[in-house]
Amino acid sequence: FPSHDRYGELWGTTADGGAGGFGSIFRYNTASAVFNTAHSFAGGGAGSRPYGLVMGDPGIFYGITQLGNVIFSYNSSSATYSSLYTLNSGTEGSGCERPLFLDSGFLYGICNVGGSSNLGTVFRYSLDADTVDVLHTFTGTPDGSGGKSSIILQSRHLELQLKQKIS
């Protein structure tokens, strides 16, 4: 899911590769057809296997890593990567494989596992308060498990598209 910035560049992530093999953030200039790796993930506490970017303020991108459960930002103007928050895999979720959704200073996400039932969560991260609220923990029946789709906002209510695990 690449993002498009105000300079005509496409920004995105790779789950693997980059300098250390842990994934990367890239940009592609549509006018000049030039591709650049903007950031290579280092693994460990910085996370690895990033999934998608969402644009916030001009030049600021946000994302999450599948491994390490790291919510991060990347400032394209200063080429600065920042680890913002690491989800507690047991209570807040882990295995996040979908891009975050940004609305009114909050990043929303869905995780495949974790939470009280270990069947995944929907969470909200506050950019201002640097805190996470678990909005929902999946229980399997009747609400599904292992969320595999993106979150969208419809009529100011979060709507989830979920893949049900088959027993």
Side-chain angles (χ1 to χ4, degrees):
F1 300 104
S3 295
H4 190 272
D5 74 6
R6 62 185 171 159
Y7 301 111
E9 293 183 325
L10 295 174
W11 288 79
T13 60
T14 64
D16 299 306
F22 298 104
S24 69
I25 298 172
F26 69 84
R27 72 177 183 212
Y28 177 79
N29 187 298
T30 57
S32 65
V34 173
F35 179 93
N36 288 304
T37 299
H39 175 77
S40 290
F41 286 80
S48 61
R49 297 190 62 83
Y51 273 88
L53 296 172
V54 61
M55 185 184 293
D57 292 332
I60 307 293
F61 296 96
Y62 298 100
I64 192 163
T65 64
Q66 178 193 19
L67 302 177
N69 311 314
V70 177
I71 298 171
F72 64 86
S73 68
Y74 183 80
N75 184 321
S76 63
S77 298
S78 64
T80 305
Y81 170 87
S82 299
S83 296
L84 300 176
Y85 188 91
T86 301
L87 295 175
N88 177 306
S89 60
T91 58
E92 296 169 334
S94 67
C96 305
E97 296 179 351
R98 297 294 175 255
L100 299 173
F101 179 85
L102 176 63
D103 183 54
S104 302
F106 292 96
L107 294 168
Y108 294 87
I110 186 168
C111 294
N112 295 336
V113 295
S116 60
S117 299
N118 201 32
L119 296 174
T121 62
V122 177
F123 68 87
R124 175 179 68 186
Y125 171 74
S126 169
L127 290 167
D128 292 330
D130 191 34
T131 57
V132 163
D133 295 311
V134 175
L135 303 176
H136 183 74
T137 297
F138 295 105
T139 60
T141 304
D143 65 349
S145 63
K148 294 282 189 183
S149 189
S150 299
I151 291 178
I152 60 173
L153 189 65
Q154 180 179 345
S155 301
R156 306 302 299 167
H157 295 286
L158 287 178
E159 206 169 282
L160 306 175
Q161 299 173 350
L162 305 172
K163 177 181 175 184
Q164 299 269 338
K165 284 187 179 177
I166 300 173
S167 301

